[in-house]
Amino acid sequence: ASPAKRQKTTTSSGSSRDRNSRQQQRQPDRGGRGGGRGRNNRKRDRGTGGDRRLNATANNARPIFERACSSISSISAAENSKGKTAPVLHWESPNSHPAVEAEEAMLKQLIKYGKKERGMFRTKPAWLVERVDQLCRYNDIDLIQALSLRRTTISLLNPGMDMAKLQLGSNDNVRASAALFEEAVEDYLHAQDVPFITEEEQQRAHKEENGIHTKTPPTPDFIFPRPTRLR
């Protein structure tokens, strides 16, 4: 080819490369929501996506709950210090109370196998976690509320089976979590200056009245010895 033709060919090829480069720059990112996460990357993330979403929800909810408890405790303590006849117990939640219809709609996805449902939700596929997360937003239910509903329903469907057999955690961890919750409630009641009787005090009073060898009936975690206004 002549020098003129070679120059024309080179110029045409260079223009083509420039057009391709400009098209790639204008091309929108078609990956996943993470920005550049394509289909293959989403498949690889499927095993851990649920864990990340569940942990993020729990971490976001914790400071909101702590701030609410702090402000409510200061209000209740001030009211109860005035010596009113009935103490006031402020018991509020940062989350709304879900409707029964919303819970029933959630259970269709939370309990896929009826009485045979087993395992913590963090072990489920990411697509199922994503679907439940979307249903939570649609039904105005917090994810933590939905997971609590799932655990309670699994237990009700399998009476007599402990959490370990249902693969919902070891019995030691379940008892430790329950103890931490009771301690948190006790601290909250103290902060609000609301009188109460603990479970241990109830059991001790029963044995003192009926003898140490008598069987202690089921006792609630806390009892209010006098009428208490719930607000």
Side-chain angles (χ1 to χ4, degrees):
S2 64
K5 289 184 177 181
R6 283 199 301 270
Q7 183 179 2
K8 183 177 182 180
T9 302
T10 303
T11 303
S12 175
S13 176
S15 300
S16 176
R17 285 196 298 270
D18 291 343
R19 284 196 301 272
N20 291 338
S21 177
R22 286 194 296 271
Q23 288 175 356
Q24 289 176 358
Q25 291 175 0
R26 291 195 299 269
Q27 186 73 14
D29 181 10
R30 301 186 183 276
R33 289 183 298 173
R37 287 177 56 198
R39 182 179 303 172
N40 294 334
N41 288 332
R42 287 199 297 271
K43 286 183 179 179
R44 286 196 293 270
D45 288 347
R46 185 165 291 177
T48 59
D51 262 349
R52 286 200 299 272
R53 273 187 287 276
L54 297 182
N55 291 336
T57 300
N59 291 334
N60 290 337
R62 187 174 296 111
I64 297 174
F65 180 74
E66 290 175 351
R67 287 197 300 270
C69 288
S70 177
S71 60
I72 292 170
S73 296
S74 60
I75 294 172
S76 297
E79 288 183 341
N80 294 330
S81 63
K82 296 177 182 178
K84 294 183 178 180
T85 304
V88 178
L89 172 60
H90 285 264
W91 194 269
E92 299 183 13
S93 171
N95 302 316
S96 60
H97 300 287
V100 175
E101 296 79 9
E103 291 184 336
E104 291 175 347
M106 294 295 306
L107 283 174
K108 294 178 181 179
Q109 296 299 325
L110 292 170
I111 309 292
K112 300 290 289 185
Y113 303 104
K115 294 182 64 174
K116 295 183 179 180
E117 183 77 20
R118 296 290 185 273
M120 296 185 182
F121 203 68
R122 63 184 176 84
T123 64
K124 304 304 177 184
W127 65 265
L128 181 57
V129 175
E130 182 68 26
R131 180 179 299 177
V132 168
D133 191 37
Q134 293 173 355
L135 283 174
C136 285
R137 292 194 295 270
Y138 178 79
N139 291 290
D140 193 24
I141 295 179
D142 188 81
L143 182 59
I144 296 177
Q145 292 175 307
L147 297 181
S148 178
L149 173 65
R150 178 177 181 270
R151 290 176 67 90
T152 302
T153 304
I154 293 176
S155 298
L156 292 175
L157 292 174
N158 298 272
M161 294 185 66
D162 59 26
M163 291 297 182
K165 292 181 180 179
L166 296 174
Q167 302 174 21
L168 294 174
S170 68
N171 293 327
D172 290 340
N173 287 340
V174 171
R175 282 191 292 268
S177 299
L180 288 174
F181 177 74
E182 292 177 16
E183 291 175 8
V185 172
E186 184 173 349
D187 292 342
Y188 182 68
L189 295 176
H190 277 304
Q192 295 195 89
D193 198 23
V194 173
F196 61 91
I197 302 173
T198 65
E199 186 175 15
E200 291 76 12
E201 291 171 338
Q202 297 171 55
Q203 294 172 351
R204 185 165 58 251
H206 175 82
K207 292 186 179 300
E208 290 175 354
E209 183 178 349
N210 300 280
I212 60 174
H213 299 295
T214 58
K215 184 177 181 180
T216 305
T219 52
D221 294 333
F222 302 97
I223 285 182
F224 299 131
R226 57 188 175 126
T228 302
R229 290 188 297 160
L230 184 63
R231 196 179 277 180

